[in-house]
Amino acid sequence: MTEEVPALVIGAGPAGLMAAEVLGAAGHRVVIAEAMPSPARKFLMAGKSGLNLTKDEPAELFAARVVGGAAPASLRDAPPGYFGEEELQAVVAGFGPAEVMDWARGLGIELFAGSTGRVFPVGMKASPLLRAWLARLALQGAELRLRWRWRGFEAEGLVFDTPEGPRILRAGTTVLALGGASWPRLGSDAAWVPWLRATGVAVAPFRPANMGFRVDWSAAMAPLHGAAVKGTRLSAGALESRGEWVLTAAGIEGGAVYEISAALRDGAEGFVDLAPDLDAGALAGRLARPRGKLSVGNWLRRVLGDPVRVALLLEWGRPLPAGPAALAARIKALPLRHAGPMPIERAISSAGGIEAGALSPDLELKARPGVFAAGEMLDWEAPTGGYLLTTCMATGRHAGHAAARHLDQELSAAR
């Protein structure tokens, strides 16, 4: 069975819902096809511990934290005409923190900003926002079809497995928003990659992003599994973080780790400053005081004031250097010893996806005119803290506007 629809959005996550909203606001009837039994599952999972919607900071600074994938070598010196990092950052700056906050308030969601600038709903949960968003889409006439799993292209149509059997949709315009490859059990399983590659769309391999790292702990660390690490600075390459992180049985997790995870994943050495509020000289002065009859561990606890930090020093810093200056240097730059990133199935997000050279500035697939892409399908990455969600919505909005223009042109030409 083949059905004609004006506008089709595949994927009911934040990018897809935003594209559908824009298309609906432009007066187009939209069908939203979602493979899962309910929409926005990853969005709801992210909101379980408090929905971090965006970060209240200047739009240009915010956008600069979003990193686009590298263009293919053949395009690095080419004139504009593909969706590179500058274009991505312009899209995010155009629908940045201020616009996202206004949009959420327009849905009746009250917001607040924490001490770090991260913005949350007052109720902290994602579900009230999602309900209000779906209600707005329903008022626009959007039709949400659940358990409609896309299976690729067939000539000018798109094939779906549905509860009623196979169906083919022919759309005047299509926005793909199927997510990346992290948390596949929530719907982002990257099954679409071979179908796009078969049509000539270049897709960079997926890699974990904003993930923890495996650590082969010694038995002495077992009592500290689950402990929070506070009062440190992590660094890797050009990235650094002063946030909190957690020791787990499998390794290290938490916001501070995620902020430097891209550099660690790509081979940069990681370091922990266990005393970031003391310079090396002041720390060496403390270490030069007589130890007396204290054990090494108790003496270090007296200096560092935290048994978790002492445990990390003894785990990653042995053999401890002799002399106050050398030991202070080790404490200020303790090697972060890990055994590689956690698997992509456990990552908060993914890097990789549709390459810049495969997309026009409108996020249209060059190999498939009239088909646009948004969200984590694209080759970009950003840290946690509101950047991921805002960027998904910004690219969905951008693709939705472009799809609406395309459909308007098609309808005008047909008259």
Side-chain angles (χ1 to χ4, degrees):
M1 180 183 291
T2 300
E3 179 185 357
E4 304 275 350
V5 298
L8 173 64
V9 173
I10 307 180
L17 295 180
M18 184 59 75
E21 180 180 334
V22 169
L23 279 158
H28 300 298
R29 185 174 72 85
V30 184
V31 170
I32 307 168
E34 168 58 47
M36 303 300 286
S38 58
R41 289 197 164 194
K42 190 175 178 184
F43 176 76
L44 291 172
M45 175 67 80
K48 279 196 170 182
S49 58
L51 181 67
N52 186 188
L53 193 61
T54 191
K55 187 172 183 180
D56 190 8
E57 64 184 10
E60 292 74 17
L61 177 62
F62 184 97
R65 300 293 302 275
V66 182
V67 180
S74 61
L75 290 173
R76 285 180 187 153
D77 299 319
Y82 63 94
F83 192 80
E85 185 168 317
E86 290 184 7
E87 291 82 2
L88 172 64
Q89 291 182 348
V91 167
V92 176
F95 192 71
E99 291 78 14
V100 169
M101 288 188 282
D102 286 345
W103 168 83
R105 293 186 183 108
L107 289 172
I109 305 300
E110 295 183 50
L111 306 172
F112 75 95
S115 59
T116 62
R118 296 185 178 193
V119 177
F120 301 86
V122 168
M124 296 297 286
K125 300 299 183 183
S127 51
L129 188 152
L130 179 60
R131 284 195 297 270
W133 199 356
L134 293 173
R136 173 183 286 178
L137 289 167
L139 287 174
Q140 290 179 340
E143 180 186 355
L144 177 60
R145 301 183 182 181
L146 301 173
R147 294 187 173 91
W148 273 57
R149 183 174 295 277
W150 184 42
R151 291 301 188 191
F153 298 101
E154 183 176 294
E156 297 303 311
L158 295 99
V159 183
F160 292 85
D161 284 343
T162 81
E164 292 76 36
R167 296 290 186 270
I168 297 175
L169 296 185
R170 290 171 55 94
T173 190
T174 299
V175 177
L176 304 177
L178 292 106
S182 65
W183 287 97
R185 67 183 180 84
L186 300 178
S188 298
D189 58 9
W192 52 267
V193 171
W195 307 326
L196 291 191
R197 283 180 173 160
T199 66
V201 177
V203 181
F206 280 108
R207 299 174 294 160
N210 291 298
M211 65 291 177
F213 286 79
R214 294 177 289 110
V215 177
D216 298 324
W217 299 116
S218 70
M221 294 296 289
L224 293 176
H225 294 168
V229 185
K230 303 178 181 181
T232 66
R233 179 190 290 115
L234 300 183
S235 61
L239 303 178
E240 67 172 46
S241 171
R242 283 291 302 263
E244 186 174 309
W245 45 297
V246 179
L247 311 181
T248 71
I252 54 176
E253 299 269 4
V257 174
Y258 303 151
E259 286 200 39
I260 66 166
S261 61
L264 278 180
R265 178 200 62 208
D266 294 342
E269 289 186 90
F271 296 94
V272 186
D273 183 346
L274 296 171
D277 297 321
L278 288 174
D279 62 34
L283 181 57
R286 292 190 181 187
L287 293 167
R289 295 170 187 165
R291 196 176 93 191
K293 296 182 179 180
L294 291 173
S295 67
V296 171
N298 286 334
W299 170 60
L300 290 171
R301 274 193 287 275
R302 179 170 291 184
V303 173
L304 294 177
D306 179 7
V308 177
R309 281 182 276 168
V310 172
L312 284 170
L313 176 60
L314 297 177
E315 180 75 7
W316 286 340
R318 284 175 164 161
L320 295 179
L327 183 54
R330 178 67 52 85
I331 291 171
K332 296 289 290 179
L334 178 68
L336 193 163
R337 306 190 190 280
H338 65 88
M342 298 287 187
I344 197 167
E345 292 81 7
R346 292 184 56 184
I348 291 176
S349 60
S350 55
I354 299 172
E355 292 185 4
L359 296 160
S360 78
D362 280 340
L363 292 177
E364 186 175 25
L365 299 181
K366 291 181 177 179
R368 196 86 189 188
V371 178
F372 301 80
E376 281 197 75
M377 292 184 75
L378 310 182
D379 187 10
W380 60 273
E381 64 179 308
T384 57
Y387 301 98
L388 293 168
L389 186 50
T390 293
T391 302
C392 283
M393 291 193 291
T395 56
R397 176 178 176 272
H398 187 76
H401 278 301
R405 290 193 299 270
H406 175 87
L407 189 52
D408 287 337
Q409 292 166 2
E410 292 289 310
L411 293 173
S412 178
R415 292 192 184 104

